[in-house]
C-alpha cells in the first residue's frame, strides 16, 4: 500500500519542480497586474470551473481578510455559482455583465480541460474591456485562446486535475502574498 502513496508524493514533487521552473515569470506578471489594478481602485472578480471554484472563493476570502498580516480589505468578489439558475452555464457571465467595468480584473481558474462557465465569463469580461488573469493547466482547451495581449496566463505544468487543484490553491496564496508585499512593504519587513 505504500508504493501508491509514494507515487502520489513523487508526482506532487515533480509537478512542484516543473512549476518552480516555468511559472516564476507569469506569476510575477500576474502579481503586477493585480497590484496595478488594486492601486488604481479597480475591482477584482474571480471564478473557477468545477472544483477550481473553491480556490477562487479562497482567493476572494484571503484578499478580503488578509493572508500574512492584518490590513484593509482589497475589493475582491468571488462570483457565485448558483447551480439552480435557469441558465447555469452563463451564471458567471451574467454577473460580469451586471457589474464589470473597464479595467476591472477577472481572475479565472480551471483544473480540467473544459471550462464553459469560465469561458463565458471571460467573453463577458472582454466585452467590458476588463483584464484577465487565467490559472490553467496543460489539459485546458477553453481558456488560453480567449486571452488578449494585456492578459496573463499561468499554465500549471500538469494534466492531472488533482495536482492542478493543489497548485491552484498554492498560486492564489502566492498572488495574495505578492500583492500584500508590494502594497504594504513596511509590513513585510516587520
Amino acid at each position: 500500500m505504500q508504493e501508491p502513496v509514494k507515487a502520489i508524493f513523487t508526482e506532487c514533487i515533480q509537478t512542484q519542480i516543473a512549476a518552480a521552473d516555468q511559472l516564476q515569470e507569469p506569476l510575477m506578471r500576474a502579481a503586477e497586474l493585480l497590484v496595478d489594478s488594486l492601486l488604481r481602485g479597480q475591482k477584482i472578480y474571480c471564478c473557477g470551473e468545477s472544483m477550481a471554484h473553491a480556490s477562487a472563493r479562497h482567493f476572494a476570502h484571503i484578499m478580503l481578510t488578509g493572508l500574512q498580516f492584518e490590513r484593509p480589505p482589497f475589493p475582491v468578489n468571488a462570483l457565485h455559482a448558483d447551480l439552480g439558475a435557469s441558465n447555469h452555464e452563463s451564471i458567471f457571465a451574467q454577473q460580469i455583465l451586471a457589474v464589470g467595468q473597464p479595467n476591472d480584473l477577472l481572475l479565472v481558474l480551471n483544473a480540467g480541460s473544459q471550462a464553459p462557465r469560465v469561458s463565458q465569463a471571460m467573453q463577458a469580461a472582454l466585452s467590458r474591456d476588463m483584464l484577465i488573469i487565467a490559472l490553467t493547466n496543460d489539459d485546458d482547451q477553453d481558456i488560453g485562446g480567449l486571452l488578449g495581449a494585456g492578459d496573463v496566463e499561468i499554465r500549471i505544468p500538469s494534466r492531472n486535475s488533482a495536482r492542478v487543484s493543489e497548485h491552484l490553491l498554492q498560486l492564489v496564496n502566492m498572488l495574495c502574498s505578492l500583492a500584500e508585499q508590494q502594497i504594504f512593504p513596511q509590513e513585510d519587513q516587520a
Side-chain angles (χ1 to χ4, degrees), residues 31-94:
E32 289 169 8
L33 183 59
L34 179 64
V35 167
D36 183 57
S37 294
L38 290 169
L39 292 176
R40 287 186 292 111
Q42 301 301 134
K43 302 280 190 289
I44 313 295
Y45 301 96
C46 57
C47 62
E49 195 69 44
S50 190
M51 63 185 183
H53 190 64
S55 293
R57 293 182 60 77
H58 173 73
F59 174 75
H61 173 76
I62 61 177
M63 291 293 283
L64 286 169
T65 61
L67 181 64
Q68 297 181 329
F69 49 84
E70 191 173 325
R71 58 159 172 80
F74 294 140
V76 178
N77 294 299
L79 302 177
H80 78 87
D82 183 359
L83 297 176
S86 60
N87 193 353
H88 175 65
E89 284 198 357
S90 67
I91 190 69
F92 295 147
Q94 291 171 339

Side-chain angles (χ1 to χ4, degrees), residues 88-147:
H88 175 65
E89 284 198 357
S90 67
I91 190 69
F92 295 147
Q94 291 171 339
Q95 293 168 74
I96 291 295
L97 291 172
V99 297
Q101 297 295 315
N103 297 314
D104 281 349
L105 180 67
L106 175 64
L107 174 79
V108 297
L109 296 84
N110 183 25
S113 61
Q114 305 295 308
R117 294 183 308 162
V118 166
S119 296
Q120 286 189 32
M122 290 173 69
Q123 291 168 356
L126 292 170
S127 76
R128 293 284 196 243
D129 295 320
M130 294 172 61
L131 299 167
I132 299 171
I133 296 173
L135 280 62
T136 65
N137 64 86
D138 283 344
D139 201 29
D140 176 72
Q141 299 174 13
D142 285 350
I143 294 177
L146 294 173
L147 297 170

